[in-house]
Amino acid sequence: MTQQLNAAMAAGNVAEAATLAFALAGLGELPIAELFGIAGMLATQGRGEQADALYRLWLRRTDSPLLYAGWYNLAVLQVQAGDERGAEQSYRAALALREDFSEAGLGLGSLLERARRYDAALEQWRQTLRRVEPAAPNAGALQVQLLNNIGRVSENQQRHHEAEQAFADSLRLNPQQAPVITHWVHLRQKQCAWPVLAPLPGLGEAELLGATSALATLSASDDPAVQLAAARRYVKDKVLAGVAPLSEPRGYHHRRLRVGYLSSDFCAHAVAILTAELYQLHDRALVEVYGFCWSREDGSGLRARVVHGMDQHVRIGEMGDEQAARCIRSHEIDILVDLHGLTLGARHDILSWRPAPVQIAWLGYPGSSGMDSIDYVLADPFVLPPALAPYFTEQPLYLPDTFQVNDRQRLVGPRPSRADCALPAEGFVFCCFNNNHKLTPEQFASWMRILQRVPASVLWLVADSEQVRDNLRMAALRHGLPSERLVFAERALPSDYLARYQAADLFLDTLPFNAGTTASDALWAGLPLLTRAGRSFAGRMAGSLLHAAGLPELVTDSVQDYEDTAVRLAGAPAELAALRQRLAEQRDASALFDSPRFVRNLERLYLRVARGSLLAADAGADSDATGGAGATALALALPLPLVSILLPVSGADGLLATLTSALAQSYTPCEIVVGDSSADGVCRALLAPYLRGADGDGAMPRLRYSHAAGLAPADNLNHCLALALGQYLACAEAGETLHADKVARMLRCYLDYPAIGLVLGWRQPRDGAGADLPGQPLFGIDTAVGGASLAALLLGGEAGAAATELCEPGAMLLRRADIGATLGRYQGRQYHQLGGLATLLTALAGRDCVYLPQPLGSYVPQVAPANRAAASARALEGLNLLYDAHAHGLLADDAARFKTLLAGRLAALSALVTSEHARLGAEQPQIDELCRLMQQGYRLLLSD
């Protein structure tokens, strides 16, 4: 009969094979291999109940030392069928027959975990681990799996020390487990187990840091390059790539902008704490608010507020990532804002499907996501300065005040007494309620030095476990301080938590990972916060909030300044009281807590980057709204600034080519102002078709023309300026060709970095025949340049052609408000030979500038004829500029460099006087100016 069974199985005749198998099992003669084979065939065909009955018959009638294996396979079958109670009984039966049967112990533990019997699951895995025979062929792999299960569930249950120990044991068995390293490192951070990157066999610090998660790297390193590398590594390993976008890249046509917020944190979480008021504050005439979430239903009032503030709340927790993305796409969302980032529970693959044409990262993760599917990151000029932008794969979108929104409805409970908080009755109370994973040994050492310098002071911290408290107490002892100088707070209800801040004297922030929500909590509750600004977004958050709260003096730049300020404030109660008073008086009106103002600024940014267009309120549903890819709805609601392109000409050569490129600018709020200084107004005839307009109904609104015969080039440029209406100014000369995106790219820098003084761009030099001449940008990438450094480079006269070309008006985009009524002036003095450099220095005013290396146009360099009088005038202007720049502090940081520059200029001027004395002797005004400048120069050169 066994031979017939095997033949039926080989032929795929499951019905016959099953009949024979049941017969043999009833006789107790069915071999176990055939049992497994026919049971598997039955399960594959969906006949699980029959397979289950076969196993049970076999187990009742068969006397075999392998009964434990039968029970195990039955358990697996029952798990697949959803019979978890039966599977548990079968696993236990297998273990009763053979307690060292590791596979059954592993499976039973997993079954208990799914039933949320976590303690029982952990105990089962620990028992199984103790019974693994080390000499067994697969013992190592089995031990690793058991340890990783123990670590994972322990971590989920906040049993961090147990999880860390399990993962460490797993890595000792197999160090090549990057995901395990990721969890182990972050667990050590959460416990303040220092050094966090403690070497393990086969794993040094470099290997551990290389496998550290993107989130944990924010606490491990202040290097933005390291943080970006961690994000990119995460994306490469975890994020879906190469799928076709679902959204329409050209955007949609809606009456209101549809903004979707994507998060699992619409519950009692920091993100919801910050954004609770945001959703209801959106202008419903302009924005329709969607929430797409997989948040837990925690029943909190905070979650109810968030959901109530949305126009549509769509739960996607039961959907797969692609299904969720298609759901979002079905709502035609214009802008999708990811509030999660690279944090626990994120669903990055939803964004990979690009369900919206514009996708923005915000709040959830204070660093670059490294994801190509995210277009922008919301920031402010302090938290993400120009120098940091190259370390973000997203393009920054700059809010004018701060990146963080706040909820003005948070309740602060009554101030507790010191006794209520277990604080000493006397002495200064420093506090830091940041999460434990933000604490580092370097930061803690800084705090201990502060405590040593402030007698009877204490440091009040949040500690999530006794293990954390023990680790920090031991660390304090190692720094020579009694553990009583540390006071630990338990978690509390939101209003009670905020009330605690009133019992402290000063909040001490952490670096490299600043306080975010915690910082605004402290400031909202009235407690001054001291921070140290780092190099990364995460290390600059609190500084951004302090600037927005009107307390910039509490942002320090060095460890010494941070510690000295903390000690000084602890010994200056009047100064600290004044800070508290200022915070209390201006809190509600400050940019940090003016939530309506924040939301209006946010909506302006949304409108700037939205694609498609908004339909007029009275337009029909089938209105033919124009726009296309990249078009913005902003023109309908919030006008962009006007840019005036100044085009001074003295003849017709090259005029039409330049005009055509100016009219073709992708940034449409532009006007072109043509100033014609020719004697006969020859340009008017060429411009006639443009001035009449294409349809003959009138002049083109974007083009204006003026004839003023005989003006010198610089005067003609200022004539154009006098006619211009724009808030920003671009300059061009006849024969120059502007890249279609020149104005758009350069203006974006001003809008993104409101604090900068100037935007400069590179232009490709070409000969008269249109062939490229040798030349290259000053820098290879978009670069933020310090204003003082750039001024010193240009004033030194040692700059190469690429730097000298920056002084040409065509290389600049100027902000009208910064330069006054005329170009070519610096500190009230008009410059003719060096007018471009004077304009540049005026626009900078000591601030930084942004340099764009992309070819934003082309031009034909003008070769000035040899002119001795012009050369001497240029030398005199150069000295005047140098004196004025020095007098206004541009070169104050490098006195030696200034004197070197000055000595060189004086020597050159002396040589010029020697060679040109005959000509100069006939020009008394120039002699007087020369003597004055040389006398002033030698006096400065010889002064201390």
Side-chain angles (χ1 to χ4, degrees), residues 378-385 388 398 403 536-538 540-542 544:
L378 287 172
D380 63 65
F382 184 89
V383 80
L384 206 169
L388 185 55
Y398 284 91
F403 73 99
S536 68
F537 190 120
R540 301 179 67 82
M541 292 190 296
S544 165

Side-chain angles (χ1 to χ4, degrees), residues 5 30 49 367 377 416 431 449 460 511 525 677:
L5 172 60
L30 178 63
E49 292 183 0
V377 59
C431 82
R449 290 191 293 270
W460 193 14
L511 191 76
S677 65

Side-chain angles (χ1 to χ4, degrees), residues 846-931:
R847 296 168 294 180
D848 292 351
C849 76
V850 173
Y851 179 81
L852 304 177
Q854 305 90 350
L856 297 180
S858 64
Y859 73 109
V860 179
Q862 302 297 312
V863 180
N867 186 318
R868 293 180 177 180
S872 59
R874 186 180 183 87
L876 293 177
E877 285 195 358
L879 264 179
N880 267 320
L881 264 180
L882 187 62
Y883 295 158
D884 284 343
H886 174 67
H888 288 85
L890 273 184
L891 302 173
D893 292 340
D894 196 342
R897 176 168 174 75
F898 167 69
K899 291 195 172 184
T900 300
L901 291 177
L902 179 56
R905 291 290 177 84
L906 291 172
L909 192 57
S910 295
L912 181 65
V913 171
T914 301
S915 63
E916 296 291 318
H917 63 87
R919 181 184 59 79
L920 291 171
E923 300 178 12
Q924 187 61 43
Q926 198 168 42
I927 291 175
D928 293 342
E929 177 73 353
L930 189 152
C931 291

Side-chain angles (χ1 to χ4, degrees), residues 292-309:
F292 298 96
C293 85
W294 57 104
S295 309
R296 67 185 187 277
E297 292 287 354
D298 61 356
S300 65
L302 185 62
R303 173 165 171 75
R305 279 186 62 205
V306 168
V307 172
H308 180 72

Side-chain angles (χ1 to χ4, degrees), residues 719-772:
H719 177 62
C720 293
L721 173 61
L723 298 172
L725 302 174
Q727 298 164 255
Y728 293 85
L729 305 168
C731 302
E733 59 187 20
E736 182 171 352
T737 302
L738 284 61
H739 188 287
D741 291 330
K742 176 176 180 174
V743 171
R745 290 183 184 178
M746 298 182 82
L747 183 62
R748 173 62 59 87
C749 296
Y750 278 115
L751 298 178
D752 286 349
Y753 305 98
I756 63 169
L758 183 61
V759 180
L760 299 167
W762 185 64
R763 302 177 299 161
Q764 172 66 56
R766 289 181 176 156
D767 62 21
D772 289 352

